[in-house]
Amino acid sequence: SWDSTVRVWDPETGNCERTLDDHVGTVRALADVARRLVSASEDGTIKVWDPSRAWALVQTLCDHSSVINAIVAIDDDDDDDDLLLLGDQPATGDPRGGTAAPDRADAPDLDADRAEDRPAPRLASGGDDGVIKIWSANDWRCM
């Protein structure tokens, strides 16, 4: 927001429940990373807020040298990769006659094998300094 705050709204009542006001510049972006609210600002900082601790500020990331315009969560633990796509068609129904992936019922349980190998959720940030940074949500360090 232009007033350098992040407001937490109750979706049922429409009331503002909390104002997070630690930024000193316009807040440009928000993301949900590892059950934390992350905000990025024109002040060149990224703030990590914990809703389970009354929206406490748990970390301030300061590695950018100018305005931060965008942040995005990178989470390898979503269900979007469960379906193999070839072009714009699911592999099981590929009209080009390509090799089909096994039906879901016959597919091996890759999630169980990969659970330990998955990286922690991460955050990507980009700003006017022309740099994209990747942050680990485990310790909020730049990777």
Side-chain angles (χ1 to χ4, degrees):
S1 68
W2 294 106
D3 66 358
S4 305
T5 66
V6 175
R7 297 184 191 276
V8 179
W9 299 89
D10 182 320
E12 292 182 17
T13 66
N15 294 327
C16 179
E17 292 194 342
R18 180 154 326 244
T19 301
L20 311 176
D21 58 3
D22 204 60
H23 284 291
V24 295
T26 299
V27 175
R28 303 290 300 261
L30 298 172
D32 175 5
V33 182
R35 297 186 178 160
R36 305 289 186 272
L37 175 66
V38 181
S39 57
S41 172
E42 287 184 356
D43 63 14
T45 66
I46 298 169
K47 307 283 184 178
V48 181
W49 310 89
D50 187 346
S52 71
R53 294 181 14 202
W55 295 97
L57 175 63
V58 295
Q59 191 80 29
T60 299
L61 313 177
C62 301
D63 270 10
H64 281 281
S65 61
S66 66
V67 172
I68 301 170
N69 294 310
I71 55 176
V72 64
I74 304 170
D75 184 0
D76 292 335
D77 190 23
D78 59 21
D79 292 333
D80 294 340
D81 61 351
D82 288 345
L83 179 62
L84 175 65
L85 296 178
L86 299 175
D88 60 356
Q89 297 291 321
T92 56
D94 184 13
R96 298 174 294 242
T99 303
D103 292 336
R104 285 297 289 158
D106 299 334
D109 185 7
L110 298 177
D111 289 337
D113 296 335
R114 295 185 317 185
E116 295 176 7
D117 298 331
R118 286 191 181 130
R122 290 154 291 164
L123 173 76
S125 61
D128 284 353
D129 56 6
V131 177
I132 295 173
K133 296 185 178 280
I134 308 295
W135 308 84
S136 169
N138 280 343
D139 55 12
W140 298 106
R141 292 183 190 223
C142 191
M143 300 172 76

